Amino acid sequence: MRTKIQVGVIGCGYWGPNLVRNFVENDSAELTWICDRDAQRLRMIGRRYPFARRGDDFRELLADSRLDAVAIATPVATHYEIARAALEAGKHVLVEKPFTANAHEAERLIELAEKHRLVLMVDHTFVYTGAVRKIKEIVESGDLGELLYFDSVRINLGIFQTDVNVVWDLAPHDLSIMDYVVGRDPVAIVANGSCHIEQGIENIAYVMLRFDSSFIAHFHFNWLSPVKIRRTLIAGSRRMIVYDDIEPTEKVRVYDKGVTREANDDKEAAYQTLVSYRTGDVWVPKLDSTEALKHVCAEFLSAIAERRKPLTDGEAGLRIVRWLEAAQSSIAAGGRPVMLR
């Protein structure tokens, strides 16, 4: 009787080799297949893992009845076709971000996974980092107080994509972090973007999410920055968090800073707002330094073994894709708000 889950990885470009390595290092998995259309790259990866079968057509993997699951690390335009075929072949599926090219495709994959009782998971890697998991713990504890805003910057002189714009390339990271940490659904999205290199592919964008409360979320994405910045601010009424992913040792800092509006019972002076500023200590929590992708692969395998939904399931992937589509529609409409409800 087999005790290990037989896994195949489809796509050995930028992200695929990282998935291959982490599945090989996980005692619950056995890497049995690697697949890529690029013969040279396939040979290169194959030399490192000679025990895995190699193929240039994903259908060959799916025809193997012994294969339990596949991880898909291919261009987003191919995600739906490959994932659909895998689910129909009875394989559990892990898909690289973004989940699909549109919400309809995501909904269809969710339906197929439920129909065949298979695990469908999206690789929102940052959700599994020690930093973001600690931030989630702090927010849930109530230490920040009432959440006021989420502000994120992800910019660099980046790798220009030819199939997706800067929003579809970078936004899934920060949107998935916000979705996981904050746990609120926006009511509208406003976005603006510009194309400076290739017409029709925005290389800079600003995205704002509106909620049915005073909470607000804002994101800046840019491939044309002379500096690399990966910073998120999460402000509460009592404390505030600064998450700097580039910082090597102190990625998360919690500031005991805030603003308090003082009550004024004098009706004649009611128009005056009395504000006090509070400044306290800075706390740097200890973080789990384990590679996030190790947790991603472990969660996928655990969900399969336990027959449960993973943390970043198809529904989580669908939410992000809907927001990406809304942001794209807003950009196309010159920044017009797109309602989500």
Side-chain angles (χ1 to χ4, degrees):
M1 180 179 179
R2 287 193 292 125
T3 58
K4 292 190 175 185
I5 297 170
Q6 312 289 300
V7 180
V9 175
I10 302 172
C12 297
Y14 172 71
W15 198 239
N18 297 318
L19 287 163
V20 169
R21 172 174 52 81
N22 276 278
F23 280 122
V24 168
E25 294 174 357
N26 192 300
D27 291 337
S28 298
E30 181 177 347
L31 181 75
T32 55
W33 277 95
I34 52 175
C35 176
D36 199 281
R37 288 164 51 178
D38 186 324
Q40 182 177 353
R41 180 165 292 278
L42 192 61
R43 283 195 302 271
M44 181 182 69
I45 301 298
R47 283 197 296 268
R48 297 180 189 174
Y49 308 99
F51 49 83
R53 296 178 65 182
R54 286 178 273 175
D56 59 4
D57 188 339
F58 69 87
R59 296 174 185 83
E60 187 179 1
L61 276 71
L62 302 184
D64 185 349
S65 60
R66 296 168 298 177
L67 189 68
D68 300 306
V70 296
I72 300 169
T74 59
V76 62
T78 66
H79 286 183
Y80 174 71
E81 177 191 2
I82 299 173
R84 177 185 56 79
L87 291 169
E88 290 178 341
K91 316 301 183 186
H92 303 284
V93 174
L94 170 64
V95 187
E96 183 186 18
K97 69 81 187 169
F99 184 20
T100 55
N102 57 66
H104 176 72
E105 291 178 350
E107 291 168 346
R108 179 58 181 148
L109 292 181
I110 292 170
E111 291 173 358
L112 280 172
E114 292 177 349
K115 175 183 177 181
H116 296 287
R117 298 183 179 180
L118 295 166
V119 170
L120 176 61
M121 178 173 167
V122 183
D123 181 7
H124 290 160
T125 311
F126 277 88
V127 169
Y128 296 88
T129 62
V132 173
R133 285 156 55 209
K134 176 58 70 173
I135 291 170
K136 172 70 169 179
E137 178 185 318
I138 295 169
V139 170
E140 285 194 333
S141 73
D143 285 349
L144 297 189
E146 179 187 356
L147 292 183
L148 305 178
Y149 68 81
F150 184 106
D151 191 278
S152 184
V153 178
R154 185 173 295 270
I155 64 177
N156 59 275
L157 195 60
I159 301 174
F160 283 80
Q161 307 290 338
T162 58
D163 57 334
V164 294
N165 65 12
V166 70
V167 174
W168 283 83
D169 179 39
L170 299 182
H173 293 312
D174 299 282
L175 292 175
S176 63
I177 292 171
M178 189 215 69
D179 182 49
Y180 173 63
V181 170
V182 176
R184 301 182 187 181
D185 292 326
V187 297
I189 288 181
V190 176
N192 283 286
S194 294
C195 310
H196 300 100
I197 304 300
E198 186 171 344
Q199 192 60 34
I201 299 182
E202 288 80 13
N203 49 256
I204 179 172
Y206 297 87
V207 180
M208 184 177 70
L209 276 62
R210 296 177 181 173
F211 296 78
D212 55 8
S213 64
S214 59
F215 179 78
I216 193 170
H218 183 267
F219 305 85
H220 175 198
F221 307 109
N222 193 340
W223 283 334
L224 281 179
S225 169
V227 295
K228 183 176 182 178
I229 301 175
R230 301 280 189 272
R231 186 176 298 130
T232 298
L233 309 179
I234 305 172
S237 57
R238 290 200 296 270
R239 293 182 177 86
M240 302 181 182
I241 292 176
V242 176
Y243 165 36
D244 188 343
D245 190 52
I246 296 177
E247 170 63 42
T249 58
E250 299 181 352
K251 292 183 182 294
V252 176
R253 294 188 176 204
V254 184
Y255 291 81
D256 187 12
K257 293 186 177 183
V259 177
T260 303
R261 185 181 186 278
E262 299 178 1
N264 192 330
D265 296 329
D266 186 350
K267 293 183 179 180
E268 294 183 0
Y271 68 94
Q272 295 179 343
T273 300
L274 302 180
V275 175
S276 63
Y277 296 88
R278 184 187 68 259
T279 301
D281 296 331
V282 179
W283 171 47
V284 180
K286 184 178 180 180
L287 306 177
D288 176 11
S289 60
T290 305
E291 181 186 2
L293 196 54
K294 181 175 182 178
H295 287 302
V296 171
C297 294
E299 173 69 2
F300 181 51
L301 296 169
S302 177
I304 293 172
E306 299 171 9
R307 300 180 180 275
R308 62 170 175 82
K309 287 190 175 183
L311 176 61
T312 51
D313 61 3
E315 293 291 344
L318 172 60
R319 286 195 297 274
I320 304 306
V321 171
R322 281 176 173 161
W323 299 346
L324 294 173
E325 281 191 312
Q328 192 66 55
S329 296
S330 181
I331 290 173
R336 177 179 57 82
V338 175
M339 303 305 296
L340 297 170
R341 296 183 186 175

